[in-house]
Amino acid sequence: MDLDVLNMFVIAGGTLAIPILAFVASFLLWPSALIRIYYWYWRRALGMQVRYANYDDYQFCYSYRGRPGYRPSILMLHGFSAHKDMWLSIVKFLPKNLHLVCVDMPGHEGTTRSDLDDYSISGQAKRIRQFVECIKLNRRPFHLVGTSMGGNVAGVYAAQYPEDVCSLTLICPAGLPSTTDSKFIKQLRELQESKRIDRIPLIPSTPEEMADMLKLCSYVRFKVPQQILQGLVDVRIPHNEFYRKLFLEIVDEKSRHSLHENMSKIKVPTQVIWGKQDQVLDVSGASVLASAIPDCHVYILENCGHSVVVERPRKTANLILEFLALLHSIDNNKKQA
């Protein structure tokens, strides 16, 4: 074989080997770095851009795609201990001409974390209002989406700032009393009785606890490799002290039933999506909302747990789009009448 050809194969083989070895090393040694790269790549692939907005000395981190148009912008509020990238699975199935905004909730990911901040549900709603004003999202009423803790905040926001919101989607929202205790609530009671409140199931510190949390939050059983579980834990551990403080704040009497206390003030068309097998927040909360909000559309998803956004992203995206299309049709009919 010609020496030049041989050298070419050696160089080509070395060029291919370097990224492969880097990937294997990352997977084995730094799985948390691999997870961050994964989100970065997914954001790029979906056209989501990351930006920062400042309100006085407070910084919000958010991602967005598209520009405001004739259809309402969509603002998405994530759940407890998550971040803006949790919405990427939904974004994948939404039209690129929709204006989407996903913000890191107060104290999460790239948004300012301060010991002096008010992390009650009402306090978080006020912070989100500041964010909305910063990016001038409320020049026209927008569609607000929230899941779990973010659903609680979204409902309170719609009640307290009705001029900002034209419609609302609540996905397994917290902040409601329930006639049936979920598995998570039962676990919390057991921990309180044994005075082991530091072992909150939603705040894992080991790969085994992470696996248990995923089982608690999902009806679908995902097969997650041990290294990925370790990476997920490594990403969270530096923030666990904050998560404990936040958790105690949102289950405190001041915030525990915030959505329930404000739902009579919600006057916009509201969509409720809930996983029938939710083990974190019992699905009976959907009927509580339906009975209190006049224009409420409820969708219960079979074979789905609390992590609706992850387990049924296509279905959830389609439900949101169908809801918005219905409202648009109703609005047009009113104008023509």
Side-chain angles (χ1 to χ4, degrees):
M1 182 182 289
D2 187 273
L3 187 59
D4 289 337
V5 174
L6 181 61
N7 285 338
M8 183 182 71
F9 277 112
V10 170
I11 292 169
T15 303
L16 289 172
I18 290 170
I20 292 171
L21 288 172
F23 175 83
V24 172
S26 296
F27 183 76
L28 296 175
L29 302 176
W30 307 290
S32 60
L34 195 62
I35 290 168
R36 290 190 178 95
I37 292 170
Y38 167 76
Y39 282 123
W40 172 84
Y41 175 79
W42 204 5
R43 282 198 305 269
R44 298 258 315 173
L46 293 175
M48 297 293 287
Q49 299 183 56
V50 175
R51 293 288 184 273
Y52 296 88
N54 293 295
Y55 186 92
D56 293 334
D57 59 347
Y58 196 90
Q59 177 180 267
F60 296 96
C61 180
Y62 66 102
S63 61
Y64 78 97
R65 187 175 76 184
R67 294 182 178 181
Y70 71 95
R71 289 193 287 186
S73 299
I74 300 177
L75 173 61
M76 299 179 168
L77 308 182
H78 64 73
F80 171 78
S81 77
H83 48 77
K84 60 187 176 298
D85 292 333
M86 71 158 286
W87 294 108
L88 292 175
S89 55
I90 299 282
V91 170
K92 179 181 177 182
F93 298 107
L94 294 174
K96 290 190 176 180
N97 60 351
L98 273 179
H99 181 222
L100 308 175
V101 179
C102 307
V103 63
D104 286 326
M105 297 293 282
H108 291 74
E109 198 76 4
T111 292
T112 296
R113 178 180 301 172
S114 168
D115 291 336
L116 302 176
D117 215 5
D118 177 6
Y119 291 106
S120 68
I121 297 301
S122 178
Q124 292 192 60
K126 288 175 184 175
R127 279 296 188 195
I128 296 302
R129 182 71 190 300
Q130 292 171 356
F131 168 70
V132 165
E133 290 178 332
C134 271
I135 66 168
K136 298 180 171 57
L137 190 64
N138 55 349
R139 283 180 175 176
R140 289 180 55 200
F142 55 85
H143 180 70
L144 183 57
V145 181
T147 184
S148 197
M149 178 193 77
N152 194 353
V153 175
V156 171
Y157 188 105
Q160 294 183 352
Y161 309 105
E163 68 281 3
D164 287 1
V165 180
C166 62
S167 48
L168 181 66
T169 293
L170 303 176
I171 304 172
C172 306
L176 297 168
S178 176
T179 54
T180 305
D181 283 348
S182 65
K183 181 179 179 180
F184 173 63
I185 296 301
K186 290 175 182 175
Q187 288 179 343
L188 278 184
R189 285 216 176 96
E190 290 171 4
L191 290 171
Q192 285 175 331
E193 289 169 6
S194 62
K195 296 182 180 179
R196 297 175 64 193
I197 197 62
D198 59 312
R199 298 288 298 277
I200 299 167
L202 296 181
I203 309 178
S205 298
T206 67
E208 292 73 27
E209 289 176 359
M210 174 59 72
D212 289 340
M213 187 189 83
L214 294 178
K215 288 177 185 176
L216 178 68
C217 293
S218 303
Y219 174 80
V220 177
R221 291 292 175 255
F222 298 102
K223 292 183 179 179
V224 184
Q226 183 72 10
Q227 285 300 119
I228 296 299
L229 289 172
Q230 184 64 60
L232 291 170
V233 170
D234 289 345
V235 168
R236 294 172 65 99
I237 282 177
H239 310 288
N240 277 355
E241 185 178 342
F242 165 71
Y243 293 152
R244 288 190 185 93
K245 176 185 175 181
L246 173 62
F247 183 82
L248 294 175
E249 187 75 52
I250 62 179
V251 299
D252 186 70
E253 230 172 276
K254 182 180 178 182
S255 294
R256 190 180 309 160
H257 296 147
S258 289
L259 179 55
H260 185 255
E261 291 161 3
N262 283 272
M263 62 186 181
S264 62
K265 301 175 188 174
I266 298 175
K267 304 301 181 184
V268 297
T270 300
Q271 177 185 52
V272 176
I273 304 173
W274 217 303
K276 189 173 183 179
Q277 285 76 29
D278 192 338
Q279 298 183 97
V280 178
L281 299 170
D282 192 76
V283 68
S284 59
S287 59
V288 174
L289 289 167
S291 63
I293 300 173
D295 191 3
C296 189
H297 306 248
V298 175
Y299 304 88
I300 306 299
L301 304 186
E302 295 282 350
N303 302 321
C304 184
H306 187 66
S307 301
V308 171
V309 174
V310 176
E311 295 180 77
R312 304 290 289 280
R314 186 194 295 269
K315 179 66 174 177
T316 305
N318 286 340
L319 285 173
I320 292 172
L321 292 174
E322 289 167 10
F323 182 58
L324 292 176
L326 173 65
L327 297 180
H328 182 68
S329 175
I330 292 171
D331 190 45
N332 280 345
N333 289 339
K334 286 180 180 178
K335 288 177 181 177
Q336 292 172 7

